[in-house]
C-alpha cells in the first residue's frame, strides 16, 4: 500500500503531522514551500520540519515534479492534502498542476483514486466555497478540520486525533484512535 500526504501552507500543520504518524507503510510526504514557512512561524523550530521529514518513507518537496507520483502509471492507494491552503485548493479546482502537490491531485482525480482535502480556513468566501465544490464534483472528499467533541477530549492531542481518525476512515485505514459514538471503549 502507498499513502501520499501533501502538507501545504495553512495553519493546522499539526493535523498533517499527526496523520503521517498514523499512516501505514508506505508513507510518502510532499511539502510545499508554503508549509515550510508556516512550520517556521507556527511551530517555531527547524527540528519539527526535520522530524516530520524523517517520519516519511519517501519525501519530496513540491518542486519535484519528476517524482513517481506525478504519473498516473505509478499506483498509490490514497492521496490526502492536510492541511490544504486555499491557494492550493484554488489551483486544484482550476486544474492547475504547477507543483507536485497540485499535480498529484490532478492524477488522483483523473485516475479516480481516493483523494481527500482537509482544510482549516474560516470563514469561507464564495470563491473558497466554489473551489471546494469543484473539488467535490471532481471526486475529491472535502473535509473541514472541524473536530467533534462528543468523544470527550481531555487535551489537544485528542482533539487532533478526532480529525486524524475521520481521515483514516475515509481512506480505509482501520483505526481505534478515538472513542466512537456508541462504542464501549473506556
Ligand atoms: C503563519 C501562516 C499561516 C497561514 N495560514 C493559512 C491558512 O490557515 N489558510 C490558508 O489558506 N492560507 C494560510 N496562509 C497563507 C498561505 O501559506 C499562502 O497562501 C501560500 O501561498 C500557500 O502556498 P501553498 O498552497 O503552496 O502551500 C498562512 C501563511 C502563514 C505564513
Amino acid at each position: 500500500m502507498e499513502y501520499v500526504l501533501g502538507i501545504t501552507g495553512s495553519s493546522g500543520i499539526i493535523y498533517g503531522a499527526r496523520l503521517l504518524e498514523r499512516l501505514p507503510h508506505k508513507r510518502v510526504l510532499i511539502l510545499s514551500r508554503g508549509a515550510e514557512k508556516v512550520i517556521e512561524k507556527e511551530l517555531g523550530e527547524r527540528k519539527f520540519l526535520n522530524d516530520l521529514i524523517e517520519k516519511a518513507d519517501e519525501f519530496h518537496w513540491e518542486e519535484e515534479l519528476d517524482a513517481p507520483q506525478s504519473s498516473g502509471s505509478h499506483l498509490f492507494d490514497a492521496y490526502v492534502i492536510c492541511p490544504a491552503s486555499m491557494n492550493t485548493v484554488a489551483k486544484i479546482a482550476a486544474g492547475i498542476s504547477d507543483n507536485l502537490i497540485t499535480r498529484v491531485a490532478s492524477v488522483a482525480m483523473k485516475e479516480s483514486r481516493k483523494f481527500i482535502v482537509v482544510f482549516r480556513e474560516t470563514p469561507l468566501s464564495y470563491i473558497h466555497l466554489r473551489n471546494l465544490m469543484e473539488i467535490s464534483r471532481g471526486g475529491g472528499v472535502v473535509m473541514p478540520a472541524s473536530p467533534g467533541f462528543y468523544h470527550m477530549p481531555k487535551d489537544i492531542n485528542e482533539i487532533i486525533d478526532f480529525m486524524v481518525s475521520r481521515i483514516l476512515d475515509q481512506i480505509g485505514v482501520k483505526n481505534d484512535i478515538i472513542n466512537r459514538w456508541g462504542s464501549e471503549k473506556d
Side-chain angles (χ1 to χ4, degrees):
M1 305 294 273
E2 178 173 311
Y3 298 92
V4 187
L5 170 64
I7 296 184
T8 65
S10 165
S11 183
I13 300 270
I14 195 74
Y15 285 115
R18 193 86 168 169
L19 176 63
L20 182 66
E21 288 172 3
R22 301 285 192 177
L23 285 176
H25 186 79
K26 177 184 176 190
R27 313 152 168 180
V28 179
L29 173 66
I30 311 169
L31 282 181
S32 75
R33 292 296 170 184
E36 184 183 27
K37 174 64 88 185
V38 176
I39 289 170
E40 183 190 315
K41 299 280 178 200
E42 190 167 272
L43 298 150
E45 37 175 334
R46 193 78 198 167
K47 188 176 176 309
F48 186 95
L49 178 67
N50 295 338
D51 287 352
L52 189 66
I53 293 172
E54 194 72 12
K55 281 176 194 145
D57 299 308
E58 183 180 319
F59 170 71
H60 302 286
W61 283 110
E62 64 170 275
E63 300 89 349
E64 294 175 50
L65 273 161
D66 56 349
Q69 294 77 15
S70 244
S71 167
S73 66
H74 175 87
L75 298 176
F76 56 80
D77 297 276
Y79 180 40
V80 182
I81 306 182
C82 175
S85 72
M86 287 300 120
N87 172 62
T88 290
V89 163
K91 288 199 280 187
I92 294 168
I96 293 169
S97 308
D98 64 336
N99 64 37
L100 189 58
I101 288 183
T102 51
R103 171 62 188 163
V104 181
S106 182
V107 168
M109 289 191 287
K110 83 184 174 76
E111 303 290 341
S112 303
R113 297 191 195 149
K114 281 181 189 157
F115 174 43
I116 320 291
V117 173
V118 183
F119 69 93
R120 185 225 54 86
E121 191 76 348
T122 191
L124 296 170
S125 69
Y126 165 78
I127 306 286
H128 296 147
L129 289 164
R130 192 193 60 191
N131 290 337
L132 291 164
M133 198 168 71
E134 284 302 308
I135 292 175
S136 175
R137 275 196 183 135
V141 173
V142 173
M143 296 181 71
S146 175
F149 291 88
Y150 52 81
H151 66 306
M152 305 293 183
K154 291 175 200 68
D155 56 31
I156 188 173
N157 289 328
E158 291 188 7
I159 295 173
I160 293 161
D161 277 348
F162 180 96
M163 276 313 301
V164 169
S165 174
R166 300 313 315 275
I167 297 164
L168 292 173
D169 288 349
Q170 282 296 323
I171 59 174
V173 174
K174 281 198 174 30
N175 71 91
D176 207 8
I177 300 172
I178 58 153
N179 289 352
R180 291 174 187 274
W181 183 250
S183 82
E184 293 300 313
K185 198 184 157 202
D186 267 6

